[in-house]
Amino acid sequence: MAPSAAADTAPPAGELPTVTADPLPTWQTNGTVWDVEVVGDTAYVGGTFTAIRPPGTSPGDPQELPRNNLAAFNAATGQPLPWAPDVQAVPGKQDIVHDLQASPDGRTLYLSGSFITVNGQQRPRIAAFTLPGGTLTGLRHDIDAAVETLAATDTTLYVGGVFASVDGTPRQRLAAFNTATGALTAWAPTADRRVMSMAISPDRTQVIIGGKFNTINGNPPHGLGAVRTDATGTSTPWQTGLEYVSDSRHSWATDLIADTATDTIYVSAAGTSTFDGRMAIDPNGGHLRWVDNCKGGTEAIALIAGVLYSGSHAHDCASQPDGFPSIDGYQRLLAEPAQPTGTDTPPILHWFPTTNAGPDAGQGPRAMDGNDNYLWVGGDFTTVNQRPQQSLTRFGTLTVTNDTGPPEPIIKPTVTRPDGTTGTLQITWTQTWDRDNNTLTYQVIRDGTTVVHTLDSRSKYWDLKTLNHTDTGLTPGSTHTYSIRATDHYGNTTRSPASDPVQAG
């Protein structure tokens, strides 16, 4: 049996709790966030922006601070830190800082993208800062096109993108640098097309690579593969690829997570009329462990306490247990158990915050990362849960925050007098729903003060049921109104307007 989607901030025994769906106060950016890297208590953010501002404010607010495509925030408070490097690109380029990657010891922050200078110094498409001080290091190489993704071990920094040379030396979309000296290494596998994501396998022997390529080192499969971390960079056995029908219909891996605890590679994918959900893969041979076929390109994933969070434009998850059918609109933030029990497809968990897509046909969420307590989300959105918040937000576990969001509003109930009855009225209403609690307690309230009935009921926003209660023992001829109060597990409530008055028979 697949686990139930009752999982939320207060799930039944044996099910994983999620972070709350209530966004925490977080400073915003005035442009797209392409990546977030949480290192200890600091969240580093890179993208295409020129300023940051407090939560709840509009662009140009007097408290706005200049930040040129790179910024740092306190992960626990969402407040900005004073670190403010200046990252600049060739005029007309948009993806300024595309990826951020901390070294395993947390003492270096690497960044890549299409930028050319950092703090006025030449740093074509790759740079590094010492941590926690944030001083620009001497790492410098002339890379002839964008570097989209990074992965690091204690000794080596691996890079992927669309470039063809490093310092005039041929490197076909993949290269590596010695982290001690900064020198280009002999590691030189090849990809025939764009490399978009990378991760180091849990045993540190492989670089897992995702993107729009058809071959690595001349070998399939499309979109996903692995090469050795040793000096050879030769391909390793890899079974699971992504779908390729044609250049206009194929999938690509947008994000990769290597989980040492479970020896698993988690993959998110986007596609054009093809697979664009999530997968879990055994790094030892690339064998598929599970796959979800939720429709709507996935741009980013994050793993916290056994839950895999994803940012996408999901619009049909009917293929997953407890998933929603084709809906009008998108559910851009989702959660599922990373290690589902007894199923090849994980269920959708009851965690439903969302964002908009942002201007200019944006995606919405484009980056995710976190630590044990906080999930950070970046992208090109301008609202979170229908409230203004641009390009950056975060959510917390119940160890660091409270579940404060009330259930969604309830429309007023209808009240009727059943035929042939005396002193009786029937109250009918439609369920509401809560973003992070599956079960709500409903109270039927007569005349504004008297609770006449209480029941618990589970609800999903795409399948709201009709509930009713028959109120008996009323004085014949008396007139009454009714309202409905819904309360989540933590006492957050919403209450409907009062019904029209109706006379009891």
Side-chain angles (χ1 to χ4, degrees):
M1 296 286 292
S4 166
D8 47 33
T9 55
E15 296 183 6
L16 292 170
T18 65
V19 297
T20 80
D22 309 322
L24 297 170
T26 307
W27 274 55
Q28 312 166 70
T29 68
N30 68 346
T32 301
V33 170
W34 290 102
D35 199 30
V36 180
E37 179 80 351
V38 178
V39 185
D41 295 328
T42 303
Y44 295 93
V45 172
T48 309
F49 51 85
T50 59
I52 59 174
R53 66 184 188 275
T57 61
S58 300
D61 185 87
Q63 300 178 77
E64 195 172 69
L65 298 174
R67 290 293 188 274
N68 287 322
N69 309 306
L70 200 58
F73 303 87
N74 184 301
T77 67
Q79 293 289 312
L81 299 176
W83 186 66
D86 180 22
V87 182
Q88 298 292 339
V90 173
K93 295 288 185 181
Q94 293 300 311
D95 300 355
I96 307 298
V97 176
H98 199 90
D99 199 17
L100 300 170
Q101 177 67 56
S103 60
D105 62 8
R107 298 176 63 180
T108 304
L109 179 69
Y110 300 101
L111 63 152
S112 69
S114 62
F115 55 84
I116 298 299
T117 66
V118 179
N119 293 345
Q121 300 185 42
Q122 289 290 310
R123 292 294 188 274
R125 303 178 178 90
I126 190 171
F129 294 91
T130 60
L131 296 181
T135 301
L136 182 67
T137 76
L139 179 68
R140 182 196 183 284
H141 290 277
D142 289 314
I143 304 177
D144 69 341
V147 177
E148 295 194 34
T149 182
L150 304 165
T153 67
D154 292 329
T155 61
T156 309
L157 174 66
Y158 300 91
V159 304
V162 295
F163 54 86
S165 71
V166 178
D167 301 329
T169 301
R171 287 293 186 271
Q172 192 172 324
R173 301 177 183 85
L174 293 163
F177 305 95
N178 183 293
T179 57
T181 66
L184 178 68
T185 73
W187 188 83
T190 62
D192 68 330
R193 296 186 181 184
R194 182 180 175 187
V195 172
M196 303 174 66
S197 53
M198 301 172 72
I200 306 299
S201 64
D203 66 3
R204 296 294 193 250
T205 65
Q206 301 175 86
V207 182
I208 316 302
I209 302 170
K212 293 189 174 182
F213 50 82
N214 288 318
T215 63
I216 296 177
N217 290 332
N219 302 314
H222 167 81
L224 193 63
V227 300
R228 302 186 191 281
T229 55
D230 62 18
T232 67
T234 54
S235 298
T236 63
W238 194 267
Q239 183 184 75
T240 303
L242 298 178
E243 190 172 6
Y244 179 87
V245 178
S246 67
D247 283 354
S248 61
R249 186 182 173 193
H250 63 112
S251 302
W252 53 91
T254 56
D255 201 3
L256 301 171
I257 294 175
D259 182 31
T260 301
T262 61
D263 195 30
T264 302
I265 304 296
Y266 296 101
V267 181
S268 65
T272 53
S273 301
T274 54
F275 173 72
D276 48 13
R278 280 80 59 183
M279 300 188 297
I281 295 177
D282 183 344
N284 303 301
H287 302 285
L288 183 67
R289 287 181 173 163
W290 60 253
V291 60
D292 78 58
N293 287 287
C294 187
K295 297 178 181 178
T298 308
E299 295 293 329
I301 50 178
L303 181 65
I304 299 176
V307 175
L308 188 69
Y309 297 89
S310 58
S312 68
H313 57 273
H315 57 88
D316 184 348
C317 292
S319 61
Q320 287 186 257
D322 297 310
F324 47 86
S326 181
I327 57 175
D328 182 15
Y330 300 97
Q331 175 60 49
R332 298 181 187 272
L333 295 170
L334 290 171
E336 59 198 333
Q339 296 285 311
T341 302
T343 177
D344 293 329
T345 302
I348 293 289
L349 301 181
H350 193 97
W351 183 74
F352 298 117
T354 196
T355 76
N356 67 349
D360 303 322
Q363 163 69 33
R366 291 186 177 273
M368 286 182 152
D369 199 23
N371 55 24
D372 291 341
N373 295 320
Y374 297 97
L375 170 67
W376 283 70
V377 180
D380 54 21
F381 49 84
T382 58
T383 66
V384 179
N385 292 354
Q386 285 79 54
R387 295 184 178 182
Q389 178 71 19
Q390 186 173 1
S391 296
L392 194 62
T393 190
R394 65 197 175 100
F395 304 90
T397 67
L398 289 179
T399 60
V400 294
T401 188
N402 296 318
D403 184 335
T404 59
E408 294 297 297
I410 313 175
I411 62 174
K412 72 177 182 180
T414 59
V415 181
T416 57
R417 184 175 61 199
D419 292 340
T421 63
T422 301
T424 300
L425 292 172
Q426 185 174 66
I427 304 95
T428 302
W429 71 98
T430 301
Q431 289 178 316
T432 186
W433 64 282
D434 188 88
R435 293 186 183 275
D436 52 19
N437 288 132
N438 183 280
T439 299
L440 299 176
T441 298
Y442 293 90
Q443 292 178 315
V444 180
I445 303 171
R446 181 203 303 144
D447 298 331
T449 58
T450 304
V451 176
V452 298
H453 183 63
T454 299
L455 78 158
D456 291 343
S457 183
R458 295 170 61 178
S459 57
K460 304 171 183 178
Y461 73 84
W462 61 90
D463 186 25
L464 298 178
K465 307 294 187 183
T466 298
L467 303 177
N468 58 72
H469 170 67
T470 301
D471 193 18
T472 60
L474 301 171
T475 301
S478 59
T479 299
H480 302 279
T481 63
Y482 293 85
S483 60
I484 307 298
R485 180 162 57 209
T487 306
D488 71 11
H489 182 81
Y490 297 96
N492 302 302
T493 66
T494 190
R495 185 166 171 170
S496 75
S499 69
D500 295 333
V502 177
Q503 189 178 67

